Amino acid sequence: MSTPVNLDTIRLVPKVLLHDHLDGGLRPQTVIDLARAAGYAGLPHEDADELGRWFAAAADSGSLERYLETFSHTVAVMQTAEALARVAAECVEDLAADGVVYAEIRYAPELFQEQGLTLDRIVAAVQDGFRDGERRAAAEGKRIRIGTLLCAMRQNARSAEIANLAVRYRDSEVVGFDIAGPEAGFPPTRNLDAFEYLRQQNAHFTIHAGEAFGLPSIWEAIQHCGAERLGHGVRIVDDIKVDEDGSVHLGRLASYIRDRRIPLEMCPSSNLQTGAAKSIAEHPIGLLAKLRFRVTVNTDNRLMSHCSMSSEFAALHEAFGYGWADMQWFAVNAMKSAFIGFDERLEIIDDVIKPGYAALLE
Ligand SMILES: [Zn+2]
């Protein structure tokens, strides 16, 4: 008898997450606690449930100002080393409890300097928190490993400095670099010096591209900047034509991305909030997975999108009928695309992911 696919059973299988923002995944109660400790009076609610609902509603509102306001609160309460370490440790605990076995968590260190923390102090505090979270999860019998991605904000001009920071901490589980923030008006090529430096250093990076903005952003990220993965990459569907008889034609960029197995870090719920897709059922992930692009499933901002890896898969199961074999495929895709070493990726695939699905696939 096959195990039914639902939120509870999905939580039990191993999942791999490549795209999740540290400042988008706080527990509502932690936001309240940290605001109190910091004397921050700007929160719209003092009750955790109400605050959680407010975050989701603001992110859902379709208003960019309200969406950005949510991050102004989380960032405001993460300005001390203690706060950063706590948020990082809880992030690991929450992911482990959800059955995530490997995750790459990203954040922009430059956002946490309002009270004078140095970039090095910020990175050290977050790394301490991640290690602490891994230990706490292990004590609960959960195996999880966290790699860190350092982001530079597109609208600031600090990408070279942050790329250098990522390289300096590469032996302390900082596994890569990313640029985040508004796509429109800030093409990835503005940061070419950072990407060239990273490539010279044999370092890894992904780029947020093709979420709200179209194909030129994706093309630049891959062909000009040399991104190994695409953050979202949803708009690649604009280069795919499906005829009425169901036959599919890939343009040259879409072909290149599929042929080269370039990973797409897709975040279905988050994309609905930013308007990149109308519903999960209409989300391009269905077509792209069917065409065997290197698709991965991610959460982006668990607090704002009120989601987890398991809830994303439950929604995809509803929309596309994905079963255990599909979920294993997504997990293996993500693990193959991770920025840790090849042998380490293989070990997690063979020793953790495959055994985790084996009984379900019999
Ligand atoms: Zn993102």
Side-chain angles (χ1 to χ4, degrees):
M1 210 187 80
S2 62
T3 307
V5 178
N6 58 49
L7 197 55
D8 291 330
T9 53
I10 293 171
R11 276 189 218 286
L12 302 175
V13 293
K15 291 169 289 293
V16 177
L17 170 57
L18 298 179
H19 191 129
D20 187 88
H21 293 263
L22 186 66
D23 49 331
L26 285 75
R27 298 172 186 170
Q29 186 60 53
T30 299
V31 178
I32 292 166
D33 293 349
L34 294 178
R36 256 180 222 144
Y40 175 73
L43 293 183
H45 292 283
E46 290 294 320
D47 172 79
D49 288 338
E50 279 180 58
L51 185 64
R53 278 193 293 275
W54 179 86
F55 270 104
D60 255 341
S61 66
S63 146
L64 183 63
E65 291 74 41
R66 288 192 67 194
Y67 190 74
L68 293 178
E69 188 196 335
T70 62
F71 285 94
S72 72
H73 297 307
T74 56
V75 167
V77 302
M78 292 168 69
Q79 298 294 333
T80 65
E82 296 71 28
L84 288 165
R86 172 173 171 180
V87 170
E90 290 179 353
C91 164
V92 185
E93 286 184 306
D94 292 351
L95 294 178
D98 192 41
V100 174
V101 296
Y102 177 83
E104 290 178 2
I105 306 298
R106 63 187 75 193
Y107 67 97
E110 66 203 61
L111 297 177
F112 305 112
Q113 295 196 290
E114 287 170 17
Q115 288 173 30
L117 288 180
T118 62
L119 294 174
D120 286 82
R121 185 80 186 93
I122 291 164
V123 174
V126 173
Q127 295 307 92
D128 283 350
F130 283 152
R131 302 293 84 79
D132 192 26
E134 287 169 344
R135 281 190 295 272
R136 288 188 215 167
E140 300 280 314
K142 307 258 185 207
R143 173 183 165 156
I144 184 167
R145 177 172 173 186
I146 304 293
T148 305
L149 305 180
L150 298 185
C151 304
M153 299 305 292
R154 305 177 99 104
Q155 65 274 33
N156 302 341
R158 299 183 68 177
S159 56
E161 190 185 358
I162 304 301
N164 181 272
L165 189 68
V167 168
R168 278 197 286 119
Y169 283 88
R170 69 196 320 181
D171 293 326
S172 309
E173 302 289 310
V174 171
V175 300
F177 173 85
D178 170 39
I179 52 166
E183 269 186 79
F186 299 98
T189 39
R190 281 167 53 110
N191 306 284
L192 268 185
D193 50 347
F195 301 127
E196 271 165 24
Y197 167 77
L198 289 164
R199 280 189 285 175
Q200 280 166 9
Q201 296 295 323
N202 303 303
H204 300 288
F205 60 94
T206 176
I207 296 180
H208 271 84
E211 181 183 11
F213 222 58
L215 294 172
S217 176
I218 295 177
W219 178 79
E220 277 198 14
I222 299 296
Q223 307 298 11
H224 256 283
C225 307
E228 290 169 73
R229 308 194 310 229
L230 288 168
H232 301 288
V234 190
R235 293 315 335 148
I236 195 61
V237 288
D238 297 345
D239 200 34
I240 301 172
K241 199 164 127 268
V242 183
D243 290 343
E244 285 195 4
D245 66 358
S247 56
V248 176
H249 307 275
L250 268 62
R252 293 207 187 273
L253 180 61
S255 293
Y256 185 91
I257 285 176
R258 187 172 71 161
D259 293 344
R260 295 294 305 270
R261 315 307 298 141
I262 293 171
L264 305 173
E265 306 164 354
M266 312 209 90
C267 310
S269 290
S270 172
N271 290 159
L272 301 193
Q273 294 180 312
T274 56
K278 285 195 197 72
S279 68
I280 299 281
E282 287 173 64
H283 194 284
I285 192 169
L287 175 65
L288 294 166
K290 199 162 97 188
L291 295 173
R292 293 311 227 201
F293 278 76
R294 175 72 70 79
V295 176
T296 68
V297 174
N298 302 276
T299 47
D300 210 10
N301 300 296
R302 285 170 289 116
L303 171 62
M304 289 75 177
S305 298
H306 200 66
C307 72
S308 64
M309 277 298 273
S310 295
S311 73
E312 289 296 277
F313 276 116
L316 291 169
H317 167 70
E318 283 281 305
F320 302 109
Y322 293 154
W324 299 119
D326 302 295
M327 281 181 237
Q328 176 177 263
W329 181 74
F330 283 116
V332 170
N333 268 354
M335 205 59 240
K336 283 179 175 172
S337 312
F339 285 159
I340 55 172
F342 172 72
D343 49 353
E344 300 167 294
R345 284 183 269 151
L346 210 56
E347 200 237 294
I348 298 177
I349 292 171
D350 289 339
D351 296 354
V352 182
I353 297 174
K354 286 184 176 169
Y357 287 89
L360 300 165
L361 296 175
E362 273 167 10

